[in-house]
Structure formats: C-alpha cells, structure tokens
Amino acid sequence: MYTSKITGLGYYVPENVVTNDDLSKLMDTNDAWIQERTGIQERRHIKKGDGNSTSVMGVKAATLALERANLVPNDIDMIVFATLSPDMYFPGGGVEVQEMMGMRTIPALDVRNQCSGFVYAISVADQFIKTGMYKNVLVIGSENHSGGLDFSTRGRSVSVIFGDGAGAAVLSRNEAGKGGILSTHLHSEGKHKDELALKGPSTGHWVPQIIAENPQEDIPYYPVMNGQFVFKHAIVRFSEVIEEGLQANNLEVKDIDMFIPHQANLRISQFIQHKLKLTDDQVFNNIQKYGNTTAASIPIALTEAWEAGKIKEGDLVVLAAFGSGFTWGSVIIRW
Ligand SMILES: CC(C)(COP(=O)(O)OP(=O)(O)OC[C@H]1O[C@@H](n2cnc3c(N)ncnc32)[C@H](O)[C@@H]1OP(=O)(O)O)[C@@H](O)C(=O)NCCC(=O)NCCS
C-alpha cells in the first residue's frame, strides 16, 4: 500500500475586490453587520470580460500547483474537480481542465460536495494513489459564486458571505515513504439537505416549473440558507470529525501544528479554535479577504499558509470542512 503527499499548491482569485461598503450600495447591509457576524471585510468577484470562469480559475490555480510540484500536465494521471458552480450543467469542470491544460485522455471526476468538496476530493485522490492505480492526481476546488447570487436586500444573508476563487493541490505517490496524508474521514446527513441549498434549475425544479410556482416573484433560483441552523451543526461536526481523525492516528489536539478550517465564517473558526484550545499560531484564517469560497476555501488558505512559511516539513496539518448536504470531513497530514 502506498501513501500520498501534497507536492504542489496554488491558488487564484480574481483581481476585482468587492468590499462590504460596495455591497451596501446594492442592498440594505453595512460593513459593521457583515464583519461582526462573519469576519468578512472583502471578497473577490469575477468581473464581466475578465476571462474568468470556474474552470479557467481552476486552471490558473492548477498551473501554479503543477509548477511547484515540478510536474508538467502530461505527468497527471487523474483530475478531481470540486465545485458547486460549474461552468455548465453538464459536463463538469474536470473535462474542461483536461482540455485547457492539454492533458492526456486521463479520467476527470467532478465532486459535488459543496463546502466539503475539497476534503472529499483529496480523499478520493488519496484512495487512487494508495492502491497504486495512479501516481499524480490533480485536485482542484473552484467557485464562481458571484454569477449566481441575489444581490438585492432579499438575498443579503447569503450573498454577503460568498466569494469567487480557486485553489489546487497535486497529490503524488509518496516516494520517500514517510508521512503524507495519514487519514481522511468523510460524513453526510441528507436529512438537512434543504437547510443550505440551491434547488433549481434542476430536474426537480425545472425553469418552467419555477416560473409557474412563483408567478409574482423574480425567479428564485438563488441559494437558500438557514444560517443559525447551519452554524449550530457546523461547530459540532467540525469538532467531531477533527477528533475522529486525530484518534485514528493516535494523536491529540496538542499535536496539531496547523489547522486549516473551511472558511465558512470567522465566528465558526474561532468557536472551534476556542473549543479545541488552539493558539492563534495553530489556526489559519483568510475569510476576511476572500469570504467563503466553498470548495476553493481550504486550498486557497492552505496555499497562503504554506507560502507564508507557516507549514514546515514534519508539521501535523489538519484540514476540516462542513457544508451543504450536510456533508463534512477531515484530512490529517504529516507534511
Ligand atoms: C448567516 C449568518 C451570518 C447570519 O447571522 P445571524 O446572527 O444568524 O443573523 P440572522 O439570520 O438571525 O439575522 C439577524 C438579522 O440580520 C438581518 N440580516 C441578514 N443579513 C443581513 C445583512 N447582510 N446585512 C444586514 N442585516 C442582515 C436579518 O434580516 C435579521 O434581521 P431581523 O432581526 O430584523 O429579522 C450566520 O447565521 C452564519 O454565519 N451562519 C453559518 C453560515 C455558514 O457558515 N454557511 C456556510 C456553511 S459552509
């Protein structure tokens, strides 16, 4: 049995910065409310004509990750692409990346696990490497949220939170044999699927049906979120799945060198940090700059933490996410 390790990381965010004050010109909100409830100061939005899309941003992040792994596109054996905002309803973003990066006819798998997407995608990639089937797997998390949010006052509790961006990691067979990904743990609880969802357009909520059911209103294919309900479940599941991962490896919270939580809300991260009694040096947050970028948030944060020299060889790095589904998971890495 092989093990896998992260050999390259990269991220890309659009240049267009959207501050809380910018949003307050579109809807009834304000900087104080957004910062107090979420910690977010600004986020990036794709600008019409800037050439970005979910797949294009994914390719930009992936190109950097490959360079840093000293690999070329032909070295990649599989793509795992996590997003809730693909460029097309079908096919998914993975095949677009395969084409844009000029890769061989390798498999391209799309993962649809929203905020847990990157953790799920890493777990999938890890299994393929562990069994010896593939040597190098490209994992991407990318989101174009701004194209699909309601920027009127009606949508304010959701639209102020989310931002656009992409992150990527190359997972390679761990030739050195030491460390790498120690474990991944994944969960779901579909009974809460309606608490954070975008219901249509889909086969269950096709456009004519949406229009027929809402004749007086704008067509509601915007995401809905029961914020407090999500918050309460997130803090429980985050802690559980981190403990589960640590216990599986006979490790304790005190062994964590760097915890990268999915950037859902700064208050959620701070709650978990407090609960686990982690110091500020043991946790990395960047939601202040980017908002919640869903599947992209962990790889963007992981890349920034690594670039800042906060992750060193031998460190114990913990990734954890929770999101729509509900789904959640953790990854324990010996760097
Ligand atoms: C969304 C969230 C920030 C809302 O904070 P909250 O404290 O629960 O706020 P509430 O939804 O109770 O709303 C409080 C008030 O603020 C208002 N409000 C909502 N969004 C607002 C905004 N952007 N600006 C100003 N006021 C807003 C509400 O209308 C409500 O007004 P009311 O009291 O007059 O009815 C919070 O619930 C949260 O972060 N939840 C987790 C979300 C999450 O992490 N999602 C991603 C999961 S991966």
Side-chain angles (χ1 to χ4, degrees):
M1 189 82 115
Y2 297 99
T3 58
S4 69
K5 73 182 286 187
I6 292 175
T7 52
L9 285 168
Y11 79 93
Y12 173 81
V13 287
E15 279 173 24
N16 179 32
V17 176
V18 176
T19 64
N20 295 341
D21 286 339
D22 291 334
L23 291 180
S24 70
K25 291 175 193 131
L26 304 173
M27 62 185 85
D28 181 12
T29 191
N30 58 78
D31 179 55
W33 191 97
I34 299 171
Q35 285 214 47
E36 190 192 314
R37 309 284 173 126
T38 70
I40 299 165
Q41 293 165 13
E42 57 189 42
R43 76 287 292 142
R44 304 297 178 97
H45 284 175
I46 288 177
K47 211 172 181 173
K48 210 170 182 240
D50 72 4
N52 281 311
S53 73
T54 298
S55 300
V56 168
M57 291 191 295
V59 166
K60 289 177 181 174
T63 302
L64 190 54
L66 250 73
E67 257 172 52
R68 287 169 167 174
N70 284 318
L71 295 177
V72 294
N74 256 347
D75 295 322
I76 295 297
D77 302 312
M78 182 188 198
I79 302 160
V80 187
F81 193 102
T83 189
L84 64 69
S85 50
D87 294 350
M88 292 186 269
Y89 187 83
F90 72 83
V95 297
E96 292 195 278
V97 170
Q98 182 271 337
E99 196 264 327
M100 280 191 260
M101 295 189 79
M103 288 168 162
R104 294 174 286 126
T105 56
I106 56 170
L109 175 72
D110 279 54
V111 165
R112 296 199 40 181
N113 289 84
Q114 300 68 249
C115 294
S116 311
F118 188 76
V119 164
Y120 267 73
I122 285 278
S123 183
V124 170
D126 182 46
Q127 311 311 316
F128 276 100
I129 290 175
K130 265 187 188 155
T131 58
M133 186 155 173
Y134 296 128
K135 231 172 154 179
N136 298 303
V137 181
L138 173 62
V139 179
I140 299 172
S142 183
E143 304 288 1
N144 168 4
H145 285 307
S146 63
L149 293 173
D150 179 359
F151 289 106
S152 72
T153 297
R154 183 183 61 177
R156 64 183 178 174
S157 61
V158 175
S159 54
V160 300
I161 294 176
F162 293 94
D164 302 339
V170 176
L171 254 71
S172 301
R173 185 184 292 174
N174 189 8
E175 304 288 358
K178 280 186 287 175
I181 294 185
L182 303 181
S183 66
T184 60
H185 288 86
L186 307 175
H187 294 279
S188 71
E189 193 173 24
K191 75 176 175 192
H192 299 311
K193 65 185 187 309
D194 293 336
E195 305 296 343
L196 175 50
L198 174 57
K199 294 192 177 171
S202 66
T203 53
H205 303 269
W206 230 206
V207 175
Q209 183 196 342
I210 294 171
I211 296 169
E213 285 171 3
N214 301 275
Q216 307 305 330
E217 296 193 27
D218 296 342
I219 302 166
Y221 31 66
Y222 291 119
V224 288
M225 178 172 74
N226 183 349
Q228 291 187 9
F229 191 85
V230 172
F231 196 107
K232 280 180 199 148
H233 283 256
I235 53 178
V236 173
R237 296 309 195 181
F238 260 110
S239 318
E240 274 178 14
V241 82
I242 294 165
E243 292 286 359
E244 184 182 16
L246 291 172
Q247 273 176 25
N249 293 288
N250 292 318
L251 293 163
E252 294 174 34
V253 168
K254 67 172 173 43
D255 298 318
I256 297 174
D257 294 299
M258 180 52 73
F259 169 46
I260 313 265
H262 160 56
Q263 301 292 292
N265 180 323
L266 191 60
R267 304 291 159 249
I268 293 178
S269 298
Q270 287 170 337
F271 190 96
I272 300 155
Q273 175 180 347
H274 186 72
K275 199 170 165 195
L276 299 180
K277 300 192 178 63
L278 294 168
T279 65
D280 287 347
D281 290 340
Q282 289 172 288
V283 185
F284 188 82
N285 289 301
N286 61 7
I287 191 170
Q288 300 91 330
K289 293 189 292 179
Y290 305 127
N292 178 346
T293 56
T294 308
S297 93
I298 289 183
I300 294 175
L302 185 60
T303 307
E304 279 203 335
W306 174 79
E307 285 175 350
K310 291 175 185 283
I311 299 176
K312 296 173 293 301
E313 202 171 335
D315 278 358
L316 189 77
V317 179
V318 174
L319 317 178
F322 175 89
S324 161
F326 292 149
T327 58
W328 62 101
S330 66
V331 181
I332 313 283
I333 307 169
R334 180 65 70 188
W335 206 262

